């Protein structure tokens, strides 16, 4: 009887009440509350996650987006696994509220191409961003410079495409030596220069056309004046007297 009672107490301590655990998830008390929703066919982040969750596994689901502040109530969360989903979009404030506690964030094996430059700005966590079809541009360069990442994790960031317009297989982001932010600025400056040159050419062309048109009109007016019959000279009295004499 005592053994049975001890077993029931142990189960009560280890398992979270079912009515507080999200659907298709398992909640177990270990070193804090561990919530596992792996392979749960979830298409979005559950909104009823227990606030005392310490470890949250949402890997191998069908989640496509991480909305702003969706984890803001999880003030004790230390590890978050979002790998092997279909995530394309991360809200700028997707991880707001996790800045002080989160230690590990796994976003590998998704469909992320770009993120807001401040999405990881305040996080202390190590972020696994590998195996995503990244577009390597100024924004991603700013993200990697502004976050705490180790060399191994950053080396997994492969450029599916980049501002350098290179062709070939994906290459590690760390092998790109160019300053993509300055490259984008130079590209913008070049585009502005081309646009200004185009406008300048149009203005010059209009001025040349205007001058030529006025010259043609002046020539026609001059020819018209020349074509008019000249007036005959009227003899005065002095001419008459000279004729009589």
């Amino acid at each position: 009887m005592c053994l049975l009672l001890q077993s029931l107490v142990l189960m009560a301590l280890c398992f979270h009440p079912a009515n507080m655990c999200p659907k298709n998830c398992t909640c177990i008390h270990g070193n804090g509350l561990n919530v596992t929703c792996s392979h749960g066919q979830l298409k979005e982040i559950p909104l009823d996650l227990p606030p005392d969750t310490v470890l949250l596994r949402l890997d191998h689901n069908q989640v496509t987006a991480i909305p702003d502040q969706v984890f803001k109530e999880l003030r004790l969360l230390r590890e978050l696994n979002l790998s092997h989903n279909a995530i394309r979009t991360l809200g700028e404030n997707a991880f707001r509220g996790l800045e002080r506690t989160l230690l590990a964030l796994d976003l590998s094996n998704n469909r992320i191409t770009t993120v807001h430059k401040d999405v990881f700005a305040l996080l202390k966590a190590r972020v696994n961003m590998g195996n995503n079809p990244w577009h390597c541009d100024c924004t991603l360069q700013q993200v990697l410079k502004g976050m705490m990442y180790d060399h191994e994790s950053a080396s997994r960031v492969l450029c599916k495409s980049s501002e350098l317009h290179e062709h070939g297989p994906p290459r590690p982001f760390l092998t790109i030596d160019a300053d993509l932010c300055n490259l984008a600025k130079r590209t913008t400056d070049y585009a502005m220069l081309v646009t200004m040159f185009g406008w300048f050419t149009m203005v010059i062309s209009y001025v040349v056309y205007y001058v030529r048109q006025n010259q043609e009109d002046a020539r026609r007016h001059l020819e018209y004046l020349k074509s008019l019959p000249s007036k005959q000279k009227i003899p005065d009295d002095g001419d008459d007297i000279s004729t009589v004499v």
Side-chain angles (χ1 to χ4, degrees), residues 77-115:
L77 191 64
R78 294 199 300 263
E79 183 177 339
L80 175 59
N81 189 343
L82 292 164
S83 65
H84 295 90
N85 275 278
I87 299 172
R88 295 179 181 272
T89 306
L90 294 177
E92 177 184 351
N93 299 308
F95 305 108
R96 180 67 60 84
L98 306 180
E99 296 88 352
R100 295 184 178 181
T101 61
L102 193 64
L103 300 178
L105 172 61
D106 193 345
L107 289 166
S108 62
N109 296 285
N110 279 285
R111 301 176 184 176
I112 307 170
T113 58
T114 186
V115 293

Side-chain angles (χ1 to χ4, degrees), residues 87-201:
I87 299 172
R88 295 179 181 272
T89 306
L90 294 177
E92 177 184 351
N93 299 308
F95 305 108
R96 180 67 60 84
L98 306 180
E99 296 88 352
R100 295 184 178 181
T101 61
L102 193 64
L103 300 178
L105 172 61
D106 193 345
L107 289 166
S108 62
N109 296 285
N110 279 285
R111 301 176 184 176
I112 307 170
T113 58
T114 186
V115 293
H116 190 277
K117 66 182 181 65
D118 295 326
V119 67
F120 307 124
L122 300 178
L123 289 181
K124 300 177 181 179
R126 301 284 182 177
V127 183
N128 185 353
M129 302 162 59
N131 295 325
N132 281 284
W134 290 105
H135 176 68
C136 295
D137 56 3
C138 173
T139 299
L140 184 59
Q141 203 164 50
Q142 290 176 324
V143 167
L144 291 181
K145 286 181 178 179
M147 61 186 288
M148 296 177 62
Y149 65 93
D150 57 3
H151 187 276
E152 181 182 358
S153 179
S155 66
R156 299 194 191 107
V157 178
L158 301 180
C159 300
K160 181 71 173 180
S161 60
S162 76
E163 293 294 327
L164 299 177
H165 304 291
E166 296 178 337
H167 299 283
R171 57 179 295 193
F173 183 82
L174 292 181
T175 63
I176 297 179
D177 297 327
D179 187 341
L180 298 180
C181 294
N182 283 337
L183 177 65
K185 183 177 183 299
R186 288 197 299 270
T187 302
T188 303
D189 291 344
Y190 177 76
M192 291 181 61
L193 181 62
V194 170
T195 302
M196 291 177 63
F197 180 77
W199 280 105
F200 182 74
T201 302

